[in-house]
Amino acid sequence: MGQRILIVDDAAFMRMMIKDILTKNGFEVVGEAADGAQAVEKYKETQPDLVTMDITMPEMDGITALKEIKKINPQAKVIMCSAMGQQAMVIDAIQAGAKDFIVKPFQADRVIEAISKTLG
């Protein structure tokens, strides 16, 4: 049974890229969300082992969603996804409880390394 992962990104092709990397490596994608508000709802529904969370999204950004998810489950494992040049936001995310971060464009081995390390 693969680890269950929720993918959150406002760009459909980014979700598709991560999903592709994960499914090829034996992970189960249990849901996808296009913004932070959806992410919080999907988290409640699916109770995933891990969440990949984009930082910049409409409605509710990734850091706010991360904090909401942490209220639901303080043990939640969330890896932030950021574009280059978002270091300040990445630091905020880590302080808010993110376990790691991956930089876009995604490199499959880095994604798997971050997820494997986080799920430990």
Side-chain angles (χ1 to χ4, degrees):
M1 175 79 181
Q3 298 279 9
R4 303 167 69 254
I5 301 179
L6 172 63
I7 300 172
V8 185
D9 199 305
D10 56 332
F13 73 96
M14 285 294 178
R15 293 197 306 270
M16 204 171 69
M17 279 175 62
I18 297 182
K19 188 174 187 173
D20 191 50
I21 293 168
L22 296 176
T23 50
K24 282 182 179 159
N25 285 276
F27 294 99
E28 181 190 350
V29 175
V30 292
E32 295 181 33
D35 63 52
Q38 278 184 15
V40 175
E41 285 310 306
K42 287 272 186 198
Y43 186 86
K44 289 179 197 167
E45 280 169 35
T46 59
Q47 300 287 311
D49 297 310
L50 182 124
V51 181
T52 64
M53 178 85 71
D54 187 20
I55 290 183
T56 18
M57 295 180 291
E59 300 298 322
M60 182 192 286
D61 66 61
I63 294 172
T64 309
L66 165 68
K67 290 175 181 167
E68 290 300 312
I69 286 171
K70 284 289 194 180
K71 284 181 198 167
I72 299 164
N73 175 7
Q75 305 305 311
K77 293 181 172 148
V78 180
I79 295 178
M80 303 308 282
C81 305
S82 72
M84 285 297 208
Q86 290 182 318
Q87 275 78 4
M89 286 198 242
V90 167
I91 291 165
D92 288 348
I94 300 289
Q95 288 170 339
K99 300 287 183 197
D100 203 344
F101 68 96
I102 42 183
V103 177
K104 298 174 182 178
F106 300 119
Q107 294 169 303
D109 54 352
R110 173 68 189 118
V111 171
I112 297 305
E113 176 200 333
I115 288 174
S116 301
K117 191 173 81 181
T118 302
L119 289 170

